[in-house]
Amino acid sequence: MKQRIVYVCTRCGASTRQWRGQCPGCGVWNTLEEGVENRSASRPRIPLVQPIAASNVDLAPDVRVETKSPELDRVLGGGLVAGAIVLVGGEPGIGKSTLLLQVLGNLSGTVPGVLYVTGEESIHQVALRAQRLGVAADSVRLLAETRVESILEVLERETPRIVVIDSIQTMFTEALQSAPGSVAQVRESAACLVRHAKNHAVSVLLVGHVTKDGAIAGPRVLEHMVDTVLYFESEADRRFRVIRAVKNRFGAANELGLFAMTGKGLREVRNPSAIFLARGAEDVAGSVVTVVREGSRPLLVEIQALVDDASGPPRRLTVGIDQGRLNMLLAVLHRHAGISTQGLDVYANVVGGVRIAETSADLAVLAAVRSTLATRPVDRGLLVFGEVGLAGEIRPVPGGEERLREGAKHGFSRALVPVANIPRCTPSGIEVLGVDRVDRALDFI
Ligand code: TYD
Ligand code: MG
């Protein structure tokens, strides 16, 4: 098969052999990108393609290998699927190489061939790190290479079952002339590796760097090519690392795994609620604990609010919750509970750098605002959750019973929840107070 360079318009798909500023198809400027055209020397006979009934497809169950890291296994949907392509994205220095080296070490006991391809660090550096992390160094094979064709040769010869490519931005294929790291190179290099992996049922873990604004040519352009996209993020204090599945063809998206970076690599965090809830001994006004769901797991988090006299136009600032939502909640507070924040700055914060995307924290935000306005601490044993509607009603949220169980597990003795979330059998040790209106709910605060 001969390969020839073509320039393809990212907008209309027209292709041309010569680079131009303007697309010959749609006439738009700067949309042409380098790509390769596959041409056979002699025109091949096109094989007959035939659709097949869905019921006739051979449905062998996915073969999964557990990575021996329960946090990562959960995010992957129960282990690494043979032949799956997983993209692990994250900012430089967050711990992608560390995690994958540890995972390869774990897997090397159960899977015969594991290969770590490094394009960034030397073999020496990787071996040193493996030694420091206590990774079984004799069973993890290392390769320092950035040329995709050479890597494919090694894969053909050595037939490893699991391969880490660290990182995809350093890889290049000779089929293209553009520099490694360019969008075209990243995409084409990944495409070559994905093709090989799918044909040979090899699992490939691709490392991809992203900057804060995600601007760099990298993981974003690969998301549609891979089966699973994991993003590695850091909590505000940088001690903890969160892995989130943003796409998963083999499991639920939005699953979350928590790790802590230690002197000996990444360690699993088994009980995240305990970390986000590490509160001081003294009761303070404006602090309320709620329970959110991150993927399939309930997580207890503390919400803080502070109000202060505004010296100018009143400000509403939030960290970890949507600012528009806070504005809306304050309007409901005024209209339906008669509590005004006019002329006051209002700040709301989710402790521990957690970002809350669901509405279940609404009632807790209002409870925290109420508590700080009244300078009255909320009972430490009280858990609050529920969505607040514009009519001042408290609406139910999914997974109420599970949230209550998480609260009971961590010693909460009372829970203020939407009436519709009162479970038929209450988890032991927690008293459930059902509320349906925001004004009546805030009477408990
Ligand atoms: P690394 O895995 O190299 O990040 P990435 O591949 O995402 O760029 O992680 C590097 C950081 O992790 C670095 O700042 C040092 C820290 N680290 C530890 O704290 N402990 C360890 O055992 C290791 C290996 C790294
Ligand atoms: Mg790295």
Side-chain angles (χ1 to χ4, degrees):
M1 197 96 103
K2 268 189 192 168
Q3 290 194 321
R4 187 191 273 256
I5 290 175
V6 288
Y7 296 90
V8 183
C9 174
T10 51
R11 195 162 170 274
C12 72
S15 64
T16 157
R17 295 255 161 80
Q18 250 182 352
W19 190 85
R20 305 166 189 217
Q22 188 179 24
C23 169
C26 60
V28 177
W29 289 86
N30 297 326
T31 53
L32 293 190
E33 257 180 28
E34 196 183 19
V36 286
E37 179 192 55
N38 291 328
R39 290 194 331 145
S40 298
S42 62
R43 198 171 259 276
R45 276 190 51 207
I46 297 169
L48 193 63
V49 285
Q50 197 78 322
I52 177 173
S55 55
N56 286 347
V57 178
D58 185 13
L59 290 180
D62 291 337
V63 182
R64 289 184 188 260
V65 256
E66 288 183 1
T67 62
K68 295 194 190 137
S69 158
E71 290 293 301
L72 184 65
D73 283 344
R74 186 198 7 260
V75 176
L76 287 170
L80 187 61
V81 174
I85 319 291
V86 180
L87 174 68
V88 181
E91 288 170 38
I94 195 129
K96 301 181 292 297
S97 307
T98 307
L99 176 76
L100 294 181
L101 196 55
Q102 285 181 283
V103 165
L104 277 195
N106 288 347
L107 286 169
S108 63
T110 39
V111 183
V114 297
L115 177 70
Y116 185 99
V117 182
T118 168
E120 294 189 352
E121 293 166 285
S122 67
I123 291 248
H124 183 75
Q125 281 172 305
V126 179
L128 253 180
R129 180 188 299 209
Q131 192 188 45
R132 201 153 54 82
L133 295 172
V135 167
D138 46 349
S139 38
V140 178
R141 298 177 67 74
L142 304 178
L143 173 72
E145 183 57 67
T146 54
R147 184 172 162 267
V148 171
E149 286 76 9
S150 311
I151 295 171
L152 291 179
E153 257 172 51
V154 174
L155 297 189
E156 295 271 354
R157 205 170 55 234
E158 305 234 328
T159 60
R161 303 316 315 156
I162 299 176
V163 181
V164 167
I165 304 286
D166 189 1
S167 65
I168 192 65
Q169 272 101 348
T170 56
M171 300 295 148
F172 74 97
T173 159
E174 279 182 348
L176 299 184
Q177 289 161 347
S178 46
S182 65
V183 178
Q185 278 288 8
V186 167
R187 196 184 295 153
E188 191 56 31
S189 302
C192 292
L193 292 163
V194 167
R195 253 193 316 271
H196 177 91
K198 290 287 171 201
N199 290 339
H200 297 81
V202 179
S203 307
V204 177
L205 298 144
L206 296 174
V207 172
H209 294 296
V210 268
T211 52
K212 273 221 158 60
D213 52 2
I216 239 165
R220 299 267 156 200
V221 299
L222 302 179
E223 282 180 357
H224 66 280
M225 289 162 93
V226 301
D227 298 309
T228 304
V229 180
L230 306 183
Y231 273 102
F232 220 147
E233 299 159 8
S234 167
E235 294 305 333
D237 61 6
R238 301 204 56 92
R239 252 185 323 144
F240 298 106
R241 305 285 194 273
V242 174
I243 293 194
R244 196 183 292 273
V246 294
K247 162 182 170 179
N248 195 355
R249 287 184 185 148
F250 303 114
N254 280 327
E255 273 299 350
L256 186 125
L258 208 72
F259 293 87
M261 183 60 96
T262 69
K264 276 204 165 283
L266 288 156
R267 290 267 174 277
E268 315 247 321
V269 176
R270 295 284 166 82
N271 189 357
S273 286
I275 287 159
F276 293 113
L277 264 197
R279 289 186 288 176
E282 242 172 73
D283 280 350
V284 285
S287 155
V288 172
V289 175
T290 189
V291 55
V292 293
R293 285 209 310 181
E294 285 283 4
S296 63
R297 168 158 74 180
L299 187 66
L300 293 169
V301 286
E302 180 185 346
I303 296 194
Q304 293 181 324
L306 177 73
V307 292
D308 197 12
D309 293 334
S311 56
R315 285 189 293 176
R316 273 88 178 90
L317 284 183
T318 58
V319 178
I321 17 182
D322 181 50
Q323 191 168 342
R325 189 119 200 128
L326 176 67
N327 283 329
M328 194 194 87
L329 291 172
L330 293 177
V332 174
L333 185 69
H334 183 212
R335 189 79 174 78
H336 296 286
I339 300 169
S340 167
T341 51
Q342 207 178 4
L344 296 169
D345 288 338
V346 181
Y347 305 92
N349 172 41
V350 185
V351 177
V354 182
R355 274 192 305 275
I356 300 181
E358 53 174 329
T359 53
S360 66
D362 287 355
L363 189 55
V365 172
L366 285 186
V369 172
R370 169 83 179 114
S371 160
T372 181
L373 272 170
T375 345
R376 198 169 52 228
V378 174
D379 168 19
R380 282 179 88 76
L382 182 72
L383 183 70
V384 181
F385 66 83
E387 179 177 333
V388 174
L390 283 182
E393 80 280 20
I394 312 287
R395 296 170 159 271
V397 295
E401 195 171 332
E402 190 191 358
R403 292 176 204 250
L404 287 168
R405 269 202 304 274
E406 182 74 2
K409 195 171 102 189
H410 287 87
F412 283 82
S413 54
R414 292 195 306 154
L416 196 60
V417 308
V419 171
N421 275 130
I422 299 177
R424 250 177 260 134
C425 56
T426 311
S428 64
I430 193 161
E431 181 195 354
V432 180
L433 313 163
V435 282
D436 57 353
R437 303 281 319 161
V438 71
D439 48 343
R440 284 199 279 276
L442 294 180
D443 286 344
F444 286 96
I445 303 301

